Amino acid sequence: MKDATQLDLLCINTLRTLAIDAVQKANSGHPGTPMGAAPTAYCLWQRFLRYDPNAPLWPNRDRFVLSSGHASALLYGLLYLCGVKANDASAKSPADLAVTMADLQSFRQAGSHCTGHPEYGLTAGVETTTGPLGQGVATSVGMAIAQAWLGATYNRPGYTLFDHKVYALCGDGDMMEGVSAEAASLAGHLKLANLCWIYDCNHISIEGATAITFTEDVGARFAAYGWQVLQVADANDMELLTHGLQTFADTRERPTLIIVQSHIGYGAPHKQDTKEAHGEPLGVEEVRLTKQFYGFDPDAQFAVPEGVQAHFSGHFGQRGASAHQAWQTRFTAYRAQYPDFAEQIDRMQRRALPVGWDATLPSFKADAKGVATRDASGQVLNAIAAQVPWLLGGAADLAPSTKTHLGFDLARVFEPNSGKGDGLESDPSSYAGRNFHFGIREHAMCAIASGMALSGLRPFAASFFVFTDYCRGAIRLAAMMGLPVIYVWTHDSIAMGEDGPTHQPIEQLASFRAMPGMVLLRPADANEVVEAWRVVMQLRHSPASLVLSRQALPTLDRNRYASATGLARGAYVLADAVDGQPDVLLLASGSEVALCIAAYEQLTQDGVKARVISMPSWDLFEHQDEAYRESVLPEAVAARVSVEAASPLGWERYVGRHGAIIAMRSFGLSAPGKVVEAHFGFDVAHVVAAARQQLARPLQRI
């Protein structure tokens, strides 16, 4: 192994054998990539990565993303050998390790910090959840953007607080996924020189050699994106690996892709079954032969030779601790000179809001013509963003339609450095901008937003609701990680009209409601929008989806109907029978609430005691206590009608088996919005008729 000492080689082989033993003991997992990529990961961590193992949440640490999440055993071995401490959430004492030997020995088992794929929040040192290929590298672009923005916004002469680098180790599968192409294209356009993807090119995927499907020139593709492309012909060549990583460190004008040619680990040299090597344990006999080949005792399991951990501590550990200490000294002096900025940085790290963040929220007067909830949202967003400097984001080429452009002074646009400043740190016309142009890259946009949130920023990402189908992978991982990303989805129903069924969401509401951890809010009017943003901004461990209308919705008279503050509880009584004892309940969210109000007025005029329940967020409602839920939806009232221009799935939970559900049971129609709504029965006559039919049927339990 060129330029590697015997101790280097011993450390690399220790990483390999720990991965082999973890996978073998679990009888599950992927030993091949950890074996083949071990020299690459070792070179990065031991010679370059700036990370304090005693402070895994240090804001200016370098980020390492294992995009090849199936190689998790390699990451866990590194965390153990480097002595990375558990973070505050999981540590019982300051000495606790993020990954213990017991964790390694219980790889892929319940209760272990060594899960099948890396899970953010469970194990310190795991910067983002990975596994679905392409997600890690795409998320790393968001981390690189965050560093660039933080540096441009907060660094000052003599006080470089944010200059960390972002590394992602990826493989052939990552390169095939479309989301990685979207993200790489944007990263090249933005000239993110702090970003390095290390492509472990081993020419193997589950079905066999990548040559059966993947024969493009990846390097040429990335060069066309505007990346610097470096080649390392042999993963075991420490000299070339070091040269490539140093070249990246010295580059100032573009991101870097290092293509490292490796051979996936097959166990002993004679083994050539790629399926077993990639996706299955080696087997007892092959494990013994492989350990002998590496010079290890074939009968010893989870062996860590003397000197290995000390070697990591003397390089990786000491470099990170020294850098962190110097940063802490610098930040203390910075705090004295720039106390307001220091406080902002502190609040970002805690996911806390500035005092008075909601002081300038608008209120909307009653108006029968009303305003589209997307328009109201744009006003609220700008009011909040003016008070929360790290609230930033954009749309997938749809900001004019989603109303997500920040229009106040100093918001600016995040764009490639103009060359007039000093690189990533401080060109105020570029990397300090808070408006992002993601291009027509919905999937990458959402993964990038996750990377920004993982770095302490509060990002929003926007598109038409129907196009969430293009980015579900990234959204699902954000929910899994508990990231407070704000999604703004507009054009929420068939009422958008002429663009037709390809643009009219039907099943999306039901699918988002089914996603654990996702807070979905579909406000009914402008004042519910205000309250929705108030709820969303206070979320610290959940993403939120604001689902908004293109068409104007009446702004309800809150002197006549209940206050919009009821939105915070997910559902509330908006209009009620005079005596508070309704005979029929009308339930709706968003655009259809006004329709129920119109039906309520007609029913009331006809002497029918009705109640309108606005249900902007099922999940928030389900978190209320039983007494409150009963007060809104009394079990004794069996006559119920739900109205929502989307899939009926789930509404039976609230109207019961015998309730009426006015919903969509097909895709939409290309026609003016009002025509489409009437065509599918979303009008006052149908709601009133459904209410009367409910009242006329024999009394049955819901």
Side-chain angles (χ1 to χ4, degrees):
M1 181 175 282
K2 193 172 181 181
D3 193 40
T5 67
Q6 286 300 312
L7 190 50
D8 288 330
L9 184 57
L10 184 64
C11 291
I12 291 166
N13 286 337
T14 301
L15 286 169
R16 286 167 163 159
T17 56
L18 285 175
I20 290 169
D21 283 340
V23 172
Q24 186 63 36
K25 189 171 189 296
N27 194 30
S28 174
H30 304 254
T33 299
M35 293 163 67
T40 302
Y42 172 81
C43 184
L44 171 62
W45 280 55
Q46 187 71 325
R47 297 186 177 185
F48 291 90
L49 198 70
R50 190 179 57 178
Y51 187 102
D52 184 356
N54 294 304
L57 299 180
W58 169 36
N60 200 38
R61 68 190 180 278
D62 287 345
R63 268 53 168 190
F64 173 76
V65 173
L66 183 67
S67 194
S68 302
H70 56 276
S72 58
L74 173 60
L75 176 57
Y76 301 142
L78 284 163
L79 294 174
Y80 173 72
L81 294 177
C82 290
V84 173
K85 297 297 192 295
N87 59 29
D88 294 340
S90 59
K92 296 178 182 177
S93 76
D96 280 357
L97 294 175
V99 171
T100 65
M101 178 56 75
D103 288 321
L104 287 175
Q105 292 173 344
S106 57
F107 177 57
R108 290 186 164 225
Q109 307 305 305
S112 175
H113 285 173
C114 296
T115 51
H117 294 87
E119 296 183 27
Y120 170 78
L122 176 67
T123 308
V126 173
E127 299 286 5
T128 182
T129 298
T130 56
L133 292 172
Q135 291 296 329
V137 286
T139 302
S140 75
V141 174
M143 295 176 178
I145 285 172
Q147 184 280 313
W149 186 86
L150 288 164
T153 303
Y154 294 108
N155 288 354
R156 291 295 180 270
Y159 296 102
T160 300
L161 296 184
F162 297 101
D163 63 350
H164 54 272
K165 301 186 185 305
V166 180
Y167 300 89
L169 181 61
C170 53
D172 295 293
D174 292 288
M175 292 296 104
M176 295 185 207
E177 287 285 0
V179 66
S180 64
E182 291 181 23
S185 174
L186 184 58
H189 166 74
L190 293 174
K191 301 181 180 179
L192 297 174
N194 56 352
L195 178 64
C196 180
W197 290 3
I198 305 170
Y199 170 23
D200 176 53
C201 181
N202 57 39
H203 307 285
I204 292 294
S205 62
I206 291 293
E207 293 186 358
T210 54
I212 63 176
T213 60
F214 190 56
T215 53
E216 68 187 48
D217 186 334
V218 173
R221 171 158 64 96
F222 273 72
Y225 289 151
W227 288 55
Q228 170 177 240
V229 179
L230 306 174
Q231 300 280 350
V232 174
D234 182 1
N236 295 296
D237 191 328
M238 294 287 284
E239 181 179 352
L240 278 180
L241 286 169
T242 300
H243 180 265
L245 289 165
Q246 187 60 55
T247 300
F248 156 67
D250 295 337
T251 298
R252 293 288 178 267
E253 71 282 353
R254 53 185 171 165
T256 296
L257 176 70
I258 304 177
I259 302 176
V260 182
Q261 301 294 331
S262 71
H263 296 281
I264 197 165
Y266 298 108
H270 65 274
K271 186 164 185 170
Q272 296 296 315
D273 186 327
T274 59
K275 180 183 177 185
E276 290 187 24
H278 183 273
E280 294 182 359
L282 297 178
V284 174
E285 185 56 30
E286 204 61 43
V287 167
R288 296 186 82 259
L289 292 171
T290 302
K291 289 181 179 178
Q292 285 180 324
F293 178 75
Y294 290 145
F296 278 57
D297 180 349
D299 297 315
Q301 295 186 356
F302 297 96
V304 179
E306 185 177 353
V308 167
Q309 287 174 293
H311 188 51
F312 274 109
S313 178
H315 292 265
F316 171 87
Q318 187 56 52
R319 180 176 60 254
S322 297
H324 182 201
Q325 183 178 17
W327 183 89
Q328 196 62 56
T329 300
R330 190 160 56 250
F331 188 50
T332 299
Y334 179 92
R335 187 186 299 279
Q337 189 164 349
Y338 303 103
D340 291 344
F341 286 160
E343 183 184 6
Q344 289 180 21
I345 293 169
D346 289 341
R347 288 182 180 274
M348 266 190 286
Q349 297 304 311
R350 302 196 311 270
R351 293 181 179 172
L353 293 167
V355 175
W357 67 271
D358 58 349
T360 59
L361 289 181
S363 61
F364 295 86
K365 295 180 180 179
D367 182 355
K369 292 183 178 179
V371 61
T373 53
R374 65 169 179 171
D375 292 316
S377 174
Q379 294 182 48
V380 178
L381 169 61
N382 270 270
I384 296 172
Q387 306 298 321
V388 183
W390 54 94
L391 176 61
L392 69 181
D397 198 51
L398 289 170
S401 292
T402 57
K403 308 301 180 183
T404 46
H405 179 75
L406 301 181
F408 53 85
D409 289 345
L410 302 179
R412 299 187 293 273
V413 174
F414 186 96
E415 58 189 0
N417 193 281
S418 67
K420 298 177 182 178
D422 56 355
L424 289 175
E425 294 184 2
S426 66
D427 184 347
S429 67
S430 57
Y431 288 123
R434 293 168 61 187
N435 285 297
F436 287 78
H437 296 304
F438 291 106
I440 306 172
R441 303 181 180 99
E442 292 89 354
H443 202 175
M445 172 183 69
C446 291
I448 288 167
S450 291
M452 294 163 71
L454 286 162
S455 301
L457 307 185
R458 196 66 194 277
F460 58 87
S463 187
F464 292 177
F465 194 31
V466 75
F467 296 147
T468 58
D469 292 347
Y470 281 107
C471 43
R472 281 297 291 251
I475 296 169
R476 184 175 188 268
L477 287 185
M480 194 178 295
M481 290 187 276
L483 302 180
V485 178
I486 301 168
Y487 302 109
V488 179
W489 310 125
T490 66
H491 297 58
D492 68 336
S493 75
I494 59 171
M496 66 169 294
E498 291 89 344
D499 279 335
T502 60
H503 283 52
Q504 294 167 3
I506 301 297
E507 71 278 17
Q508 284 74 18
L509 277 171
S511 68
F512 271 72
R513 286 169 176 154
M515 185 181 292
M518 175 60 69
V519 177
L520 183 139
L521 300 113
R522 188 174 182 238
D525 75 346
N527 287 307
E528 277 200 9
V529 170
V530 175
E531 298 307 317
W533 271 102
R534 196 188 301 276
V535 168
V536 164
M537 288 303 299
Q538 295 179 80
L539 296 174
R540 297 176 62 236
H541 303 292
S542 301
S545 286
L546 290 167
V547 183
L548 307 170
S549 74
R550 175 196 184 191
Q551 76 279 13
L553 304 179
T555 303
L556 300 173
D557 183 350
R558 296 296 172 165
N559 293 317
R560 176 177 174 79
Y561 305 113
S563 168
T565 57
L567 172 139
R569 306 191 77 169
Y572 65 103
V573 177
L574 178 60
D576 206 2
V578 174
D579 61 358
Q581 301 294 321
D583 293 326
V584 62
L585 307 180
L586 307 179
L587 296 72
S589 77
S591 308
E592 290 74 58
V593 171
L595 181 57
C596 287
I597 284 289
Y600 161 86
E601 295 291 356
Q602 183 172 322
L603 289 166
T604 300
Q605 188 175 358
D606 294 343
V608 176
K609 296 200 297 181
R611 170 181 290 182
V612 176
I613 301 165
S614 178
M615 300 193 70
S617 178
W618 293 10
D619 21 83
L620 292 179
F621 183 61
E622 291 300 326
H623 280 87
Q624 306 306 310
D625 59 44
E626 176 59 32
Y628 178 76
R629 285 183 280 139
E630 170 65 18
S631 73
V632 174
L633 290 170
E635 188 173 353
V637 183
R640 302 184 177 198
V641 179
S642 69
V643 187
E644 190 171 70
S647 167
L649 187 64
W651 276 107
E652 65 278 359
R653 176 187 227 173
Y654 298 114
V655 303
R657 291 184 300 125
H658 304 290
I661 300 176
I662 300 175
M664 292 294 296
R665 290 170 173 80
S666 69
F667 292 108
L669 174 72
S670 178
K674 291 295 184 183
V675 174
V676 177
E677 289 179 302
H679 176 83
F680 289 106
F682 291 93
D683 54 32
V684 174
H686 277 86
V687 177
V688 169
R692 292 191 179 282
Q693 288 171 2
Q694 283 286 296
L695 290 166
R697 69 179 172 81
L699 182 62
Q700 294 171 305
R701 292 182 62 83
I702 62 172

